[in-house]
Amino acid sequence: MNPKLKFHKTKIATAITLSSLIAQTPQIAVAQEQTLEEIIVTATRRDMVPSEIPFNISAITGDEIEEAHVTDMEGLMRAMPGITVADGGGRFSENNNVITIRGLNVDPSATDRRFLSDPNVSTYVGDTPVFANFVLKDVKRVEALRGPQGTLYGSGSLGGTVRFVLNEPTNEKIEGYLDTSIGRTHGSSGRNIDLNAMLNIPLSESLAVRFSAGIVDNAGIVDYANVYASDGNGVPISDAFGVAYGGPVYINNKDADTVDIDYSRAAMKWTPSDKFEASVTYMNQKGEYGGRRQTTSGPNGWGEYYDDYEIGAVINEPSSNESEFTSLEMTYDMGFATLSSSTSAYDRSYEGVSDNTGFFAAKGWLFYYGYGYMLRPAIAAERQNTEEAFVQELRLVSNGDQNLDWTIGAFYMDQEASAAQQTRARGFQEWATAVEPEGFGYGYGLYYDPSTNVTFDWSHERFYTDFAVFGEITWKLSDDVDLTLGARYFDNEDRVTSQTSFPIWGAFNPVVKDTQTDSDTLMKMNLAWRYSDSAMLYGTISEGYRRGGTNAAPVRPDEAYPNDPEWSNFGSDSVLNYEIGLKGSTNRSNYTISAFYVDWQDPQVNVATPSGAYYAVANGSEASSKGIETEFNWAVSDSTTLFGGYTFVDAELTQDLYLHDASALTTGKSELRATKGAQLPGTAKHTINIGAKNERYLDNGLLFISRIDGYYQSDVENSILNIDPDWADTLDGFDLWFASLNLLGNDWSVSLIARNLLNDRGTVATYKEEYMTSDIANGFYGTGQKDFITMPRTITLKATKKF
C-alpha cells in the first residue's frame, strides 16, 4: 500500500479514542428510536431527497454547520466529499472563487489573477448567481451539485454548482437567538470573537420579516517579520545614513493577518394565498483584513529561515472588501405548473496591497530599472476590482406526478466589472530628489520622472451580457425507468476596454478595445432505473461551457510591447461529462457511488504574458478528469450516525500545453509550458471524509451531541506548468481532524469546538523562491516566497440563547 495514503498511527489512535468517547458517553439515557432522516433539497426545482435525484449531489444542513462551527467556504467544502478549495485565509478567499469539483482546474492554486475568466463552479445565494464568501449564519442548507448544470440553472458552469439556501421569514411566531463565541488559534497571541443575532417577526398572518447580523473579529497568526518601518504615506523610513544612502529600518508586525467582518441580512416574505408568495432579501458584508495568512518557508537575504508563522514580505499587505445583493423572488402556483421569478442585483468591490518586491527581484527588474540603488526597494501593487450585475431568471416547473415532468427557464444577466492595478516604487520620489535634485536619469535609455512613484498603471473594464433559455423534460418510460433530456441555448457578448501606462517613465499605451460574442446550444441526457424500492442506477451525459473573453493586453509587435498579437483574447472552453452512478437508501442508511469521465476542450489558463507579465488568459488544448465518488450516511444505532466518503480523481493534460510566445514573427502557439500527462493542480488523487455523531439525552433532559470529523488528502501539484521551475512543485498530503461537544437545553446551547484538533500543517499552494526571491545585491533582504497553509488548531467556546 502506498504509505502516502496512510494516516499517522498516533493520529489514528487519537481518532479512535475520540470516536469511542462519542459512542460511550456515561450517565445518559438513550434517545427514542429514530431512523436516518434525509435532507429535503430543491436542486432540481422540486422538493426531493438526494437519494432520489439521478446525479451526484451533496447537502448539509444549517444545524450541522452550526454544530461544527463552520463559518467559511474552506471548512464547508471539506465536509463534502470530492470538493476542494484552496485554503488561503480571509484575505484570499473573499476575492477568489477557487472551488474545484472533479479536478477541473488548470490554474496555479496560489494565483489571484482570476478576474479575467469565470470560475469553474457557479455559486448561488438562493436563486441569485453571485459569489461572495458570506459568513455562514442563519443558513438552512447548502447543496453541491457535481457536473454541469446549465439545463437547470441560468448561470451555466463547467464543474458544478454550489447553492446556499437561507432561512426564510416565518409567520408562525416571534423567534430569535443571540450567540457568541470566543476562541484562540495556535500561533496567535490574540482571541477570536464572534457575535451573531437573529430576529423573526410575524407582522400578520401573511407577512413576516427576518433580520440577522453579526461580527467576526479574529486575531492574526502570521508575523510580518521584516517589514520596513514607514511614514504615514507608506514610504520606507531610512536609517541614520539618510534618505539618499540609508538602508531601511525593519520592524516585526505581529499577528498581522487579522480578520474583521460585519454582516447583515434583512428579508420579508409575503404569502397572501396558498398559490402565491414573494420574498425580498438584502444582504451586506464588509471585511477588513490585516495581511496574508501565508507563511515563508524559504530563507531571507541573510540566509536565515523564518519561523512557522512568519512571512518575509517587506510591505504590509492589508485589504478590504464589500459585497451586497438584493433579490426579489416570487412563485405562483398555476395548477398545472409553478411559475417562479428571481430578480436580483449585486455589487462587489475589493481593494488590497500586495508586496511585489520579490516578484521584481525574481524578474531582475530591481537591477535593470535601478530601484535597487534606492537601498530600500519597496514595490507595492495596489489592486482594485469591482463587479455589479442585474440578473433576471424565470422558471416554469410542472406540478404533480405525471407521465411527463418538465422545467423551462430563461436567464438574463447584465454585468459590469472592472479591475485595476497601480504598482508603486514607494520612496522613489524622495530618494530620487535627494540623489539628484535637478532631475534624475538612469542608463538603458530610461529617464525617470521623480514627480510620481507609479511604475505601472493598468485598468480593465468589462461589460458583459448573457441571455439563455434552458430546460429539461423527464419522460417516465415505465414505473421504474425515467429518461430526461435537457438543453440550453445561450447568446453572450463581452466588451472590454483596457489601458496600460508607465508613468514613472512617461510611457503610455493607447486604449485597447475588444468585443467577443458567442452563441451555442448545450445538451444533457439522463437515464434512471429504480431497480428496487431502495436503489437506483443512473447514467448522465452533459455538456458544460465557460465564456471566452479578451485580455486587452498590450500586444503591439514593436520593441516596447513585443507580445504575440494572439494574446489579445481567449476562447471559450467546454466539457463533455459522462457519469454513471448507484444510489440506495434504507431506514438507517443511504449511499452514493458514482464514476465519471470529463473531456475538457480548450481549458482556460490564467497566466501572464511572456513580455511584461501582463494579466492574461490563454487556452490550452485538451485535458481530462476521471474518477470515483462515494458518500454514505449510516445510523449505526439509535443514537450514533457515521458518515463520510472517498473520492479518487485522476485529472491530467491529454495534450501538451503550448502558449503564445513573445514574438509577432511566429504564428500559433510555440511556447511549451506543460507536457501531456501533467496532473491538474490543486486536486488530490485521493481524499477521504469520515465522521461520527452521537445524540443522547441526559437524565436531566438535556440533549448532548458529540461529533468528530476527519479529512485527508494525498499529494497535489502546485501548478500545471510542470516544466516551469518557478511554479512546479508537489505538495505533501495532510489530514485534519475536527471535534465538537454540544449541550442543548430547550432554549439554549453551549458548545466546545476544536478545528484542526491535532494541529497538522497542510500546504495547499505555494509561491516558490524562484518566483519570489531575495535580491541582496539590490538591497532586498526579505522574500516574497510564501506557502498557503491550513488554519492551525483553533479551540472555540460558543454559547447560544434562543427565544
Side-chain angles (χ1 to χ4, degrees):
M1 180 178 181
N2 186 343
K4 292 183 178 181
L5 299 184
K6 296 181 180 178
F7 292 97
H8 294 104
K9 291 181 179 179
T10 56
K11 296 177 180 178
I12 290 229
T14 303
I16 292 174
T17 302
L18 291 169
S19 298
S20 66
L21 291 174
I22 286 178
Q24 300 178 16
T25 307
Q27 296 180 347
I28 51 182
V30 178
Q32 63 182 7
E33 183 174 348
Q34 54 183 291
T35 60
L36 184 69
E37 294 186 10
E38 286 199 83
I39 305 169
I40 301 295
V41 298
T42 55
T44 62
R45 305 304 184 182
R46 293 178 173 86
D47 291 347
M48 301 178 70
V49 295
S51 62
E52 296 175 347
I53 298 175
F55 57 80
N56 199 346
I57 175 175
S58 295
I60 185 170
T61 67
D63 289 342
E64 292 176 302
I65 291 172
E66 286 295 322
E67 286 172 9
H69 195 58
V70 174
T71 59
D72 55 26
M73 193 79 71
E74 291 83 0
L76 175 68
M77 293 297 105
R78 285 201 176 107
M80 295 184 172
I83 305 177
T84 60
V85 176
D87 199 350
R91 182 186 184 278
F92 177 79
S93 60
E94 277 292 349
N95 198 45
N96 294 277
N97 179 354
V98 288
I99 304 172
T100 299
I101 296 178
R102 293 182 172 169
L104 297 183
N105 172 59
V106 290
D107 294 329
S109 297
T111 187
D112 57 2
R113 298 190 300 259
R114 299 174 189 267
F115 41 77
L116 296 180
S117 62
D118 288 341
N120 295 336
V121 175
S122 64
T123 55
Y124 272 75
V125 178
D127 284 323
T128 301
V130 59
F131 171 78
N133 196 14
F134 287 112
V135 175
L136 297 174
K137 290 294 182 180
D138 204 25
V139 174
K140 187 175 183 179
R141 66 180 178 276
V142 178
E143 304 170 359
L145 294 70
R146 298 172 178 85
Q149 302 299 327
T151 59
L152 279 174
Y153 288 82
S155 179
S157 65
L158 289 177
T161 296
V162 176
R163 183 167 175 246
F164 301 87
V165 182
L166 307 177
N167 286 315
E168 295 183 328
T170 174
N171 55 19
E172 293 181 0
K173 62 180 179 178
I174 296 178
E175 61 180 355
Y177 65 77
L178 295 170
D179 75 38
T180 184
S181 66
I182 185 169
R184 175 163 287 181
T185 301
H186 180 77
S188 174
S189 59
R191 292 182 174 85
N192 308 322
I193 297 174
D194 289 12
L195 295 171
N196 309 281
M198 185 278 292
L199 178 63
N200 181 91
I201 305 175
L203 300 179
S204 69
E205 293 184 354
S206 61
L207 189 65
V209 293
R210 191 179 187 97
F211 304 97
S212 59
I215 62 170
V216 176
D217 184 0
N218 289 345
I221 61 171
V222 174
D223 300 338
Y224 277 60
N226 47 230
V227 292
Y228 296 154
S230 59
D231 63 18
N233 296 317
V235 175
I237 296 172
S238 61
D239 60 19
F241 290 95
V243 175
Y245 305 106
V249 176
Y250 294 101
I251 61 174
N252 190 329
N253 185 4
K254 295 281 189 178
D255 296 341
D257 58 318
T258 54
V259 174
D260 293 288
I261 298 173
D262 61 79
Y263 58 92
S264 60
R265 177 166 72 97
M268 177 181 293
K269 185 175 183 178
W270 181 42
T271 314
S273 69
D274 294 337
K275 293 183 176 295
F276 177 79
E277 66 179 40
S279 297
V280 177
T281 301
Y282 171 79
M283 290 184 67
N284 178 277
Q285 180 168 305
K286 298 178 182 178
E288 299 282 344
Y289 308 93
R292 299 178 181 272
R293 200 191 74 206
Q294 286 129 46
T295 61
T296 296
S297 54
N300 59 24
W302 294 279
E304 300 169 345
Y305 283 83
Y306 291 86
D307 291 340
D308 284 347
Y309 301 123
E310 291 185 337
I311 190 170
V314 295
I315 300 173
N316 288 314
E317 299 178 292
S319 71
S320 63
N321 74 284
E322 181 173 5
S323 301
E324 64 178 359
F325 84 89
T326 305
S327 66
L328 170 63
E329 297 178 5
M330 299 180 289
T331 61
Y332 178 65
D333 186 349
M334 304 172 66
F336 73 98
T338 298
L339 177 64
S340 301
S341 170
S342 174
T343 307
S344 56
Y346 67 84
D347 191 346
R348 298 178 57 240
S349 61
Y350 167 89
E351 59 182 30
V353 176
S354 294
D355 181 4
N356 264 19
T357 316
F359 174 70
F360 269 52
K363 291 289 185 181
W365 292 349
L366 289 181
F367 168 73
Y368 182 83
Y369 295 123
Y371 302 127
Y373 292 101
M374 294 165 53
L375 301 179
R376 302 179 301 282
I379 311 299
E382 300 175 0
R383 295 169 179 154
Q384 311 86 35
N385 59 68
T386 65
E387 182 180 315
E388 60 181 270
F390 169 82
V391 182
Q392 176 65 54
E393 189 167 326
L394 294 171
R395 292 172 304 280
L396 191 63
V397 181
S398 64
N399 290 333
D401 187 11
Q402 307 172 62
N403 193 43
L404 288 176
D405 291 331
W406 46 268
T407 299
I408 187 169
F411 173 84
Y412 174 76
M413 171 184 281
D414 186 350
Q415 182 188 73
E416 297 182 19
S418 68
Q421 176 175 320
Q422 307 84 43
T423 301
R424 298 180 184 273
R426 290 184 174 177
F428 168 78
Q429 294 161 284
E430 292 78 5
W431 170 77
T433 301
V435 171
E436 191 67 50
E438 302 301 323
F440 189 80
Y442 183 66
Y444 304 100
L446 300 174
Y447 293 89
Y448 292 102
D449 177 2
S451 68
T452 181
N453 63 7
V454 179
T455 71
F456 173 76
D457 194 354
W458 172 82
S459 65
H460 187 280
E461 294 185 345
R462 188 183 81 188
F463 298 88
Y464 177 68
T465 57
D466 187 15
F467 171 75
V469 290
F470 57 92
E472 292 186 356
I473 183 169
T474 299
W475 181 19
K476 297 183 179 180
L477 301 178
S478 70
D479 292 339
D480 302 324
V481 179
D482 294 344
L483 174 65
T484 299
L485 299 176
R488 171 189 178 86
Y489 169 79
F490 63 86
D491 188 345
N492 60 49
E493 180 183 73
D494 193 19
R495 294 180 290 117
V496 169
T497 301
S498 179
Q499 183 170 16
T500 306
S501 64
F502 306 89
I504 205 168
W505 304 312
F508 294 88
N509 185 63
V511 174
V512 178
K513 294 185 177 182
D514 195 13
T515 299
Q516 300 287 316
T517 60
D518 198 7
S519 62
D520 202 352
T521 301
L522 308 176
M523 305 300 293
K524 171 184 176 180
M525 182 175 71
N526 174 272
L527 187 65
W529 173 35
R530 290 176 292 276
Y531 63 88
S532 74
D533 292 338
S534 60
M536 174 178 62
L537 182 67
Y538 70 88
T540 299
I541 302 175
S542 55
E543 294 180 302
Y545 163 89
R546 178 169 53 174
R547 67 166 184 88
T550 180
N551 296 315
V555 293
R556 296 203 319 260
D558 56 29
E559 184 178 358
Y561 307 111
N563 285 310
D564 185 334
E566 295 287 339
W567 279 105
S568 62
N569 51 56
F570 58 96
S572 62
D573 55 353
S574 61
V575 299
L576 186 58
N577 176 79
Y578 302 88
E579 178 182 340
I580 185 170
L582 177 66
K583 290 190 172 188
S585 63
T586 67
N587 286 340
R588 287 192 174 273
S589 67
N590 59 63
Y591 62 88
T592 299
I593 304 172
S594 67
F596 64 88
Y597 175 79
V598 184
D599 182 12
W600 192 1
Q601 295 292 315
D602 307 312
Q604 295 176 5
V605 189
N606 280 273
V607 288
T609 60
S611 179
Y614 300 107
Y615 298 124
V617 178
N619 293 96
S621 181
E622 295 179 10
S624 70
S625 178
K626 56 183 179 290
I628 298 172
E629 300 162 331
T630 68
E631 186 172 8
F632 76 93
N633 293 276
W634 178 28
V636 295
S637 71
D638 297 331
S639 58
T640 301
T641 302
L642 298 179
F643 46 87
Y646 164 75
T647 304
F648 169 77
V649 178
D650 184 10
E652 63 180 18
L653 289 179
T654 51
Q655 294 290 335
D656 290 342
L657 174 65
Y658 284 92
L659 301 182
H660 307 295
D661 63 15
S663 171
L665 302 178
T666 62
T667 59
K669 301 173 182 177
S670 58
E671 185 184 24
L672 179 65
R673 301 297 300 276
T675 58
K676 178 182 178 180
Q679 289 294 307
L680 303 191
T683 297
K685 280 194 172 183
H686 306 274
T687 58
I688 298 173
N689 304 72
I690 192 71
K693 176 181 175 181
N694 181 272
E695 298 185 17
R696 298 189 180 220
Y697 285 98
L698 305 176
D699 291 338
N700 58 10
L702 300 179
L703 178 61
F704 183 75
I705 302 175
S706 51
R707 178 180 177 126
I708 181 170
D709 296 78
Y711 170 83
Y712 166 77
Q713 71 173 48
S714 60
D715 297 351
V716 301
E717 295 302 315
N718 185 57
S719 171
I720 192 62
L721 309 179
N722 67 338
I723 64 172
D724 188 340
D726 289 352
W727 286 101
D729 201 5
T730 299
L731 307 175
D732 291 339
F734 58 88
D735 53 277
L736 303 172
W737 292 93
F738 310 83
S740 65
L741 303 174
N742 305 275
L743 187 63
L744 288 76
N746 289 331
D747 58 0
W748 59 271
S749 64
V750 177
S751 304
L752 181 64
I753 305 108
R755 301 182 65 183
N756 194 359
L757 179 64
L758 306 180
N759 201 34
D760 198 2
R761 184 185 181 93
T763 300
V764 299
T766 184
Y767 278 107
K768 296 178 62 182
E769 184 70 20
E770 293 85 348
Y771 188 75
M772 290 281 194
T773 189
S774 301
D775 185 1
I776 58 176
N778 290 285
F780 175 47
Y781 283 83
T783 175
Q785 189 274 323
K786 44 187 167 283
D787 298 331
F788 289 57
I789 62 169
T790 56
M791 190 71 163
R793 178 173 55 233
T794 301
I795 307 297
T796 302
L797 180 64
K798 176 184 173 184
T800 302
K801 174 64 176 178
K802 298 181 179 180
F803 55 88

